[in-house]
Amino acid sequence: MAAPTAERIYDDGLVAPYAPDLYHYDHIATAGLNGFDAIDDQAIARFDQQGYLVVHNAFTSEEVKGGLDGLLHLISGEVADFNGVMYERAASGVPVDEMAPEQRQDYVRKFMWFEQHDARLHQMAHHPKLLAAVERIIGETPFLFQDMALLKPPHIGREKPWHQDHAYFQLALNTRVVGCWIALDEATTENGCMIVIPGTHRQGPVVHFQRRDWQICDTDVKNQSAVAVPLKPGGCLLFSSLIHHGTPTNNSGLRRRAVQFHYRPASAPKTTVEERMAIFGEEGKNVTC
């Protein structure tokens, strides 16, 4: 039997129906670069124009296995000073503490602040080729300021509504922030791969509302040119913190485990919650959702 966890934390997002075409996409990103070494000036220019870059075979099968083993180790509850696991609301009442990690993971939505607790995940977050790629994009030494594991378990993994990641960060709007989303399973259009709307990072900030999550209002989503980004294990998506993106519910029987890291320039100063909300919040803007 796995070690019991601390007080269980549940995802606070609302599980509710959404329009069937909310995650409609017109294209599937079948092309991409083969490894970080393939990132050249043209690729950086494409990132600046479209807001994202697909890198296949970014991590080896051994590194992917190490990442998965690290996630299971943290889920097991055996790491005494780590308690960042957040469960899907659908796991309420399920005796997950009595389950082995392999079974327990299918009730976990996400966890954060883990890379200092497992050497394998730390190495992934600080992979020299990944950091070099991010440095080329932001033009400065990158600083890792957020790490997340995003599990979206089979059948119950809820959506992540359309949003801009920058709406979550206490960073000035002109700070170049790069997200790196790494597939540890095959991410497909059936189990909730990332969907992005190219070029939206150049449109500036969009007001977010607390509805099913902290999100762009469904009626403000313009997904006519959206692109689905399926990835094989070890593939990664580099993306701007201002690009509009989201993931639908996982109604399939397939796992879709991923890790996500966010990097900012090392010199970027932090701002306040009030400054962030003045840009991305709805208060005082006479807007509704």
Side-chain angles (χ1 to χ4, degrees):
M1 182 183 298
T5 60
E7 181 180 357
R8 200 178 306 164
I9 303 170
Y10 292 100
D11 170 46
D12 59 1
L14 178 64
V15 179
Y18 54 81
D21 63 346
L22 184 60
Y23 298 99
H24 166 83
Y25 51 87
D26 286 329
H27 307 284
I28 297 178
T30 54
L33 302 171
N34 185 22
F36 290 121
D37 290 337
I39 297 178
D40 56 14
D41 291 344
Q42 285 186 326
I44 299 300
R46 190 158 62 251
F47 180 96
D48 290 340
Q49 180 70 20
Q50 297 184 342
Y52 73 99
L53 204 58
V54 178
V55 184
H56 301 299
N57 303 309
F59 295 86
T60 67
S61 58
E62 291 78 11
E63 289 168 330
V64 169
K65 182 181 184 303
L68 288 171
D69 289 345
L71 295 185
L72 288 177
H73 184 215
L74 293 173
I75 289 171
S76 73
E78 296 172 0
V79 182
D81 57 345
F82 177 75
N83 61 355
V85 177
M86 181 178 292
Y87 290 87
E88 290 281 358
R89 182 60 61 180
S92 179
V94 177
V96 295
D97 296 340
E98 301 175 11
M99 299 176 181
E102 179 71 22
Q103 184 180 8
R104 187 188 301 187
Q105 67 178 320
D106 288 336
Y107 297 93
V108 173
R109 174 169 176 76
K110 66 179 181 181
F111 48 92
M112 301 178 65
W113 320 125
F114 58 79
E115 59 92 19
Q116 291 292 332
H117 295 274
D118 185 271
R120 294 157 294 197
L121 293 165
H122 178 83
Q123 290 169 3
M124 186 170 281
H126 296 274
H127 193 290
K129 291 186 178 182
L130 167 60
L131 295 182
V134 174
E135 183 169 355
R136 291 191 67 178
I137 294 171
I138 66 177
E140 192 177 324
T141 300
F143 176 79
L144 174 69
F145 72 97
Q146 187 191 72
D147 54 288
M148 304 175 68
L150 305 162
L151 272 58
K152 199 180 285 286
H155 303 298
I156 64 171
R158 76 169 182 88
E159 62 164 336
K160 178 63 179 178
W162 290 97
H163 65 287
Q164 296 172 296
D165 284 351
H166 214 107
Y168 288 80
F169 303 148
Q170 270 72 260
L171 292 169
L173 189 59
N174 63 354
T175 304
R176 279 179 74 88
V177 176
V178 174
C180 177
W181 195 98
I182 304 165
L184 301 179
D185 293 305
E186 183 172 4
T188 70
T189 55
E190 288 75 31
N191 68 3
C193 71
M194 190 82 84
I195 302 176
V196 302
I197 305 178
T200 46
H201 65 303
R202 293 183 283 112
Q203 298 174 9
V206 175
V207 173
H208 283 55
F209 298 84
Q210 189 64 49
R211 292 298 182 263
R212 298 186 305 283
D213 206 323
W214 180 236
Q215 63 175 94
I216 298 171
C217 188
D218 290 350
T219 56
D220 292 336
V221 174
K222 310 300 181 187
N223 61 1
Q224 289 80 8
S225 60
V227 175
V229 188
L231 290 170
K232 299 288 186 181
C236 87
L237 174 70
L238 299 172
F239 61 101
S240 164
S241 61
L242 284 171
I243 196 170
H244 301 192
H245 63 289
T247 61
T249 300
N250 182 5
N251 292 316
S252 79
L254 302 173
R255 288 172 174 152
R256 196 236 60 185
R257 295 165 293 182
V259 290
Q260 177 174 279
F261 305 117
H262 274 100
Y263 304 87
R264 62 169 173 81
S267 65
K270 296 195 70 174
T271 58
T272 65
V273 172
E274 291 75 19
E275 289 172 297
R276 173 172 64 87
M277 294 300 289
I279 297 171
F280 289 98
E282 63 187 278
E283 296 82 357
K285 294 185 173 65
N286 193 32
V287 292
T288 58
C289 175

